[in-house]
Amino acid sequence: IGVGSDADTYARVMAATSYLEVGASAPMLDPALAEEALSLLPGEERGALSLRCRVTPTGEVADADVELVVIQSDAKLSYAAVEAWLDGDAGPVLREVTVPGDGPEVEDTLIALREAAERLGVARDERDTIEELFTQAEVEPAILDGKIRTRSAEPHAQAYRLIERLMVAANEAVAAWLVEH
């Protein structure tokens, strides 16, 4: 995406992707890009920037290496499926795996990612973050089945937190790698 391009302007206005429980999500990038060309769709080869690193038991990122790769995803997991998996129900995750027989491999990956996120949480909880400036709402209004009702403000809180911790660590590690190189 070129600096100053229409796609760049769109991303700057949106600033972040919003994942909504009701209705479509609002991606930071133009949906034509975010949902197709730049999305890691299952079974599709995609060029990607890969970060390989180790997360220490104390939550530090070590041995970071960045490389250009071509990958093919086995699944496009929803937050709801990951939330269920974190609560002990693997069924929704296994139903979202698109390559027959790859369910155990996807679960092994989730186990490793959960452990890495837990370790990262230890280190992050020791730092001051902007998150501390906000209080989380427990419920918020929503229109469900044509009626205004309340629902959980964070329907997939554990899954969001897992992805957030991994993405923040990846962004910090890539930034440090860029500075070093």
Side-chain angles (χ1 to χ4, degrees):
I1 296 173
V3 174
S5 68
D6 289 346
D8 180 48
T9 301
Y10 182 95
R12 289 172 188 260
V13 169
M14 294 302 290
T17 297
S18 297
Y19 297 97
L20 309 175
E21 183 177 11
V22 178
S25 294
M28 180 177 77
L29 297 176
D30 179 341
L33 296 172
E35 295 167 11
E36 292 295 329
L38 300 179
S39 183
L40 300 176
L41 297 173
E44 299 284 331
E45 287 191 352
R46 295 286 196 248
L49 186 67
S50 174
L51 168 68
R52 293 180 188 269
C53 62
R54 183 173 52 86
V55 179
T56 69
T58 59
E60 302 300 321
V61 176
D63 306 324
D65 188 36
V66 178
E67 61 184 336
L68 293 173
V69 298
V70 175
I71 67 168
Q72 185 171 321
S73 177
D74 290 339
K76 182 177 181 180
L77 302 180
S78 66
Y79 282 103
V82 173
E83 189 78 18
W85 182 85
L86 290 167
D87 285 337
D89 179 6
V93 161
L94 296 176
R95 285 190 290 277
E96 291 183 359
V97 175
T98 57
V99 178
D102 278 1
E105 186 175 317
V106 170
E107 278 203 276
D108 288 347
T109 300
L110 285 172
I111 290 167
L113 292 173
R114 178 180 58 200
E115 182 176 340
E118 288 171 358
R119 291 178 179 188
L120 291 164
V122 170
R124 183 171 184 192
D125 290 346
E126 292 176 1
R127 299 188 301 186
D128 290 330
T129 65
I130 194 167
E131 187 175 300
E132 295 166 356
L133 300 175
F134 303 96
T135 56
Q136 294 290 0
E138 292 181 21
V139 295
E140 61 186 29
I143 297 175
L144 301 170
D145 300 322
K147 297 180 182 175
I148 294 179
R149 300 180 185 181
T150 58
R151 63 175 176 92
S152 171
E154 291 190 64
H156 310 302
Q158 292 180 94
Y160 287 131
R161 182 65 39 95
L162 182 143
I163 298 301
E164 174 192 13
R165 285 182 174 161
L166 296 170
M167 290 184 71
V168 167
N171 288 338
E172 289 176 345
V174 169
W177 184 88
L178 286 169
V179 167
E180 183 181 328
H181 291 85

